[in-house]
Amino acid sequence: MSKLRFGVVVFPGSNCDHDTFHVLRNVYGQDTFYLWHKDHDLNNADCIILPGGFSYGDYLRSGAIAKFSPLMKELQEFAHGGGLVLGICNGFQVLLELGLLPGAMLRNKNLKFLCEHVHLKMENDQTPFTNQWQENRVLRIPIAHFDGNYYASSDTIEEIKTNDQIVFRYADREGRITEEANVNGSVENIAGLVNKQRNVLGMMPHPERASESLLGSNDGQAIFKSIIHHLTHSLNYS
Amino acid sequence: MIHKKILEEHKLTEEEYERIVELIGKEPNITELGIFSLMWSEHCSYKSSKAHLQKLPVTGENVIQGPGENAGIIDIGEGLAAVFKIESHNHPSFIEPYQGAATGVGGILRDIFTMGARPIALMDALRFGPLSLPKNKTITEGIISGIAGYGNCMGVPTVGGDVYFNECYSLNPLVNAFCLGICEKDKIFYAKAEGEGNPVLYVGSKTGRDGIHGATMASAEFGEDLEEKRPNVQVGDPFKEKLLLEACLEVMNKNLIIGIQDMGAAGLTCSTTEMASNAKSGIEINLDLIPQREEGMTPYEIMLSESQERMLLVAKKETVKEVQEIYAKWDLDAVIVGQVTSDQRLKVIFEGITVVDIPVQAVVDMCPLYHRESKVPAYLESQTKLDPIPPPEDYNGTLKKLLSSPTIADKQWVFRQYDHMVQINTALLPGADASVLRLKNKKFALAMTLDGNSLYTYLDPKTGGKIAVAEACRNLACVGAHPVGVTNCLNFGNPEKPEIMWQFQEAIEGIAAACRTFNIPVTGGNVSFYNETEGLSIHPTPVLGIVGLLRDVDKSCSPGFKNTGDVIFLIGKNKDEIGGSEYLKFIWDMEKGQPPQIDLQTEKQVHKVCIEAIAKGLLHSAHDISEGGLAVCIAECAFLGDNRLGCTLHLKDRIRSDALLFGESQSRIIVTAKPENKDALVKIAQGQNVPIEEIGTTGGKNMTVYHNQKKIIDLPVQKSYTTWKQAIPDHFKAR
Amino acid sequence: MKIRVLVSYKDSVLDPQGQTVRNALLTMDYDFVKNIRQGKVFEIEIEALSDERIKQVIPELADRVLANPIIEKFTWEIIE
């Protein structure tokens, strides 16, 4: 079986680029390469990952300056053409700023940076990112962010729900969606969502930090293995 | 002759001034004087401490670089080197907690990547005043978010550290930042300006008037504008530093530069003179070429500015273009500002005029050293005497109260603000005895910890110094690692006071003795004197940062109980020692008595037992006994397990119950093992002549302790866990 | 020329930072404080442009870059 091609975008200030690269290449054994934000070439990637970090220091708003990077033009075309795009943490924030996903991020409700393992309930296994899901499993994956308090207007939320776009919600370890489990104050406990076409996923938790048992959790594998499964089998979710 | 007042402003004595005149063969102008004042300051010259620091062992087979460079370097095998250092940023963190702490982190990171190493871990030793005072809360919150703000943005995990609370830090918080980086052994870079005619480049942020000490008075005397009074606070720009990090590592990886030095404290002055001094060369720079953020800066201000996120580097003539291209790729300018010369002088040009022309050796190496007077402090006699105290009536209540002492309570409120997982190497998360970092594709791993109990050092600096080293090594042993190198940060009061100097000398002797026993080299560190506010000094606070190696990353050990029915062992021996304990301090409000005594040889044997037992896979958990004693140690083992597993202990020592439960005798580790591994474990201990005793079993929902058949503690684990967990966050609930 | 752009959260968006500042003020007995919304100020030095051009480009750049229209609104003025 030939390897899939994963492109990891590097913005100035990205800092989970090496982690994502390491995991895709050494844990999942895929053909992985960096994509420099100033370039105009996606290098025939099958899947593009916008990694976590502090692109441009998060100085204006998280992801706000990165969206003007030259490479984002090609990324948008790729996404509109159905290519798989995964935005993790800061990558999710960039996808929101780009308008590839609906909504925006506010400061965490406790106004502090939060780094810890959280539990996620998977709400939709009919996406390229979650098809390898095991029934009723609750995932334990770390978060690390200051601006992860997801916000969208009530109309947008209605639309997201009607289209089944919510993929992950913050939950307790039994998978119950509670106020207490909502670490950062997100609307509807939203931790990750896809676009209507299901080919773009943004999520605040870091699946690359939960891909090796030595680090305390393997649960991020569900996401990467789903992507690999989807791409090797060209699945259809409509 | 320069006016006396100006000398005072520059913290130079008349004798020092005369020496300067003699060394440079002329009266210095104000810029030259400023340069000497910076380089001959306590901070840069170690003039009061050098004579004593020489007692520390600094050599060893594995030492690649000892004290004197930006950071120490230890060979860790398989072609890799660990580059690490700790440095204080106490005073700036008091003035402006967020920025002070942030720039402290920025500075230590630069120290590491300047040497060609990619920083992989940060830790911080923090000392705060009691949280009951609103001012201390503000300082605590500011410092922690400053550390988080900088480290998180840089993508370097802050994997741990220690936090203590004591009245003596009330207007004197301590922020000691530690950083460790990894590089290939044959790709280390030094601060050296070699090769006559080679270009000197300036990279990074523009220069502003940040942190210029004493500048206003001096310039006033020289008839310049006094209106420009600037605060001393430097503002950090972690994003810029992240770009600097990536760009510097790229030029170093491609071997395009000869030498590099960070412009942290003492800025251009320090970087130019040190780079030239190290290479026995000279440097000539033109200040008109220095990128400047503000208008009308004088040579004095440019040379003394402490603007952050700047680097000075020496490239080869033929590589300078490629160097500049790499920096441009990272949106940074690398500007040629001068060249290397051979005359061993620092020459500075400003608007076509030579404004500085001095021999670099005079600046860097000729500062007078002081053997300051020392005297046993008067407080010792009364403080070390401990009158008998009545035993507590309610041991359950006493333990619960002790668990809510901020020094003992859970620190997750702190650690969750730090990104402690980025770079995906953190195999043992903060909260364990030591942090463990895997090295990708290697079997061995690194462990690291910071320690320093200032209550012990206050009551007996020498013993306190020994214990600081011993406890750090014990923490490493608890995760299965053996120590390989030490960095220290020595925080003390005013060294011109003989009592402070005595504390300093004694503490160093203690540290040196312990390092020799454990056979670990000190590869550098930092001395921070003058930690006093309104004449009140902090307790002497040496902080030890010790790095260890773990042979097999899959065999690390953590403190939490794992399974019901495991046997609990005490490695080491309980003693009747209650002096200097957190129990006396928090419950009885007394900082009194003799601190626990320590036999370094015994301590070393205890570590050997623990490390061997972990390596053989015999242990399910290991946790050292420290602040709060045996009772708190056991409670933490219960809290840190996944299911808040309880335990039952039967203690038989002929010691008063309070001393047994809460005394802080050294050289003790609590471990658990499966019943079938009991004999193997006992055999290892006997082989090392270390006392070992089976004291209980894990299981149930309560923590129960019998002393000579009498039940003295019986607490539900979950409930005490909440007390321990919430103690610090409760102080910060909406005001 | 100098333009000042003020960006703040829309009224419908919760502003936890503003609320925290308000709570702090209340505990300090500034009990007349009813509400606080925190925002950002941008002071932009520009080449002299015609009034008409300014009216076109300033809102444009504020909308595209300085503010995120999903959560933020802005106002602007010429200050010099």
Side-chain angles (χ1 to χ4, degrees), chain B residues 537-559:
Chain B
S537 166
I538 57 162
H539 288 347
T541 313
V543 170
L544 274 290
I546 305 196
V547 176
L549 278 181
L550 186 67
R551 292 219 170 80
D552 182 352
V553 69
D554 291 318
K555 282 194 182 145
S556 72
C557 196
S558 60

Side-chain angles (χ1 to χ4, degrees), chain A residues 19 38 59 115 209 212, chain B residues 237 329 416 419 423 438:
Chain A
D19 302 358
K38 284 180 190 167
Y59 283 170
C115 174
R209 296 186 182 188
E212 294 166 273
Chain B
D237 182 351
K329 172 187 154 191
R416 80 201 285 237
D419 188 342
Q423 297 195 19
R438 63 113 175 243

Side-chain angles (χ1 to χ4, degrees), chain A residues 227-237:
Chain A
I227 297 173
I228 292 163
H229 184 80
H230 169 86
L231 287 170
T232 38
H233 295 84
S234 310
L235 299 180
N236 198 341
Y237 300 94

Side-chain angles (χ1 to χ4, degrees), chain B residues 576-613:
Chain B
D576 191 358
E577 294 174 309
I578 196 104
S581 63
E582 183 65 18
Y583 164 72
L584 277 190
K585 172 165 174 44
F586 197 71
I587 307 289
W588 293 94
D589 197 21
M590 290 197 292
E591 300 196 328
K592 289 191 104 168
Q594 295 285 348
Q597 297 306 298
I598 181 162
D599 179 78
L600 292 168
Q601 203 54 45
T602 308
E603 179 79 40
K604 193 176 169 184
Q605 305 298 105
V606 166
H607 301 176
K608 274 191 185 165
V609 173
C610 192
I611 293 168
E612 191 182 336

Side-chain angles (χ1 to χ4, degrees), chain B residues 304-322:
Chain B
L304 271 64
S305 161
E306 294 193 349
S307 291
Q308 299 287 300
E309 292 92 20
R310 302 179 299 161
M311 290 281 191
L312 199 69
L313 47 97
V314 171
K316 300 169 196 164
K317 269 178 242 169
E318 60 276 19
T319 57
V320 69
K321 200 158 166 266
E322 204 179 332

Side-chain angles (χ1 to χ4, degrees), chain A residues 4-47:
Chain A
L4 296 166
R5 295 176 60 77
F6 283 83
V8 178
V9 179
V10 182
F11 298 107
S14 293
N15 66 29
C16 301
D17 45 346
H18 292 226
D19 302 358
T20 311
F21 182 94
H22 163 79
V23 162
L24 282 165
R25 172 171 285 188
N26 300 322
V27 178
Y28 302 105
Q30 303 301 317
D31 196 356
T32 310
F33 42 85
Y34 293 116
L35 297 170
W36 182 240
H37 72 114
K38 284 180 190 167
D39 290 340
H40 277 288
D41 184 2
L42 298 180
N43 199 8
N44 288 320
D46 299 304
C47 175

